[in-house]
Amino acid sequence: MRELLGFAAVGLLAYAADLGLFVWLRGPAGLDPLTAKALSFVAGCSVAYAGNALGTYRHTGIRGLRRYAVFFAVNVAGALVQLLCIAVSHYGLGLTSQRADTVSGAGVGMALATVLRFWGTRTWVFRQERGRVGSWTG
């Protein structure tokens, strides 16, 4: 339970960084939705890695560039889920407002991507040499 709560708390911080930057890049900065999402993703991913490495999974002692690369790859998969949601909504369904882009990318896409990221983070990134970090079922 502690692992899940820690992951969720770090995720909220990363989500705030991602969403805040996306809204700013999409609005005042005037970038297209896919570029804005890609840039905000990198910021959110870095916040999430730092929070998980220094907080949620600090007891594993697993840190470093290689782990960040694996973490980044897991998060790229999550970002692709979010980008797909934006692309379907914006270009497929014709919902082109900033609000529609935010709901599809930061709402629906983020929810789906979070499940993938939790599994990938605990399975591939912060996995100890002899197995998983711990049981998430208690």
Side-chain angles (χ1 to χ4, degrees):
M1 184 60 139
R2 197 168 106 199
E3 177 187 3
L4 188 58
L5 290 175
F7 187 85
V10 168
L12 284 173
L13 290 174
Y15 180 75
D18 187 333
L19 178 60
L21 187 57
F22 177 76
V23 169
W24 182 79
L25 290 172
R26 185 71 178 100
L31 295 180
D32 69 273
L34 297 181
T35 301
K37 186 70 220 161
L39 293 173
S40 70
F41 158 74
V42 172
C45 185
S46 296
V47 168
Y49 180 78
N52 280 308
L54 300 173
T56 307
Y57 298 105
R58 71 182 170 276
H59 63 282
T60 65
I62 299 173
R63 290 180 189 78
L65 229 40
R66 182 180 176 285
R67 290 296 170 191
Y68 182 77
V70 176
F71 185 82
F72 193 80
V74 167
N75 280 274
V76 164
L80 291 175
V81 169
Q82 290 179 269
L83 289 173
L84 180 62
C85 288
I86 291 173
V88 166
S89 171
H90 191 91
Y91 300 108
L93 299 176
L95 304 171
T96 59
S97 71
Q98 182 179 348
R99 177 176 287 150
D101 291 339
T102 302
V103 168
S104 63
V108 176
M110 182 62 83
L112 295 173
T114 296
V115 173
L116 175 65
R117 287 178 177 133
F118 179 70
W119 175 81
T121 296
R122 75 180 328 269
T123 302
W124 290 329
V125 181
F126 294 107
R127 180 181 182 149
Q128 294 175 337
E129 294 304 317
R130 294 188 190 153
R132 289 194 171 149
V133 172
S135 172
W136 69 290
T137 58

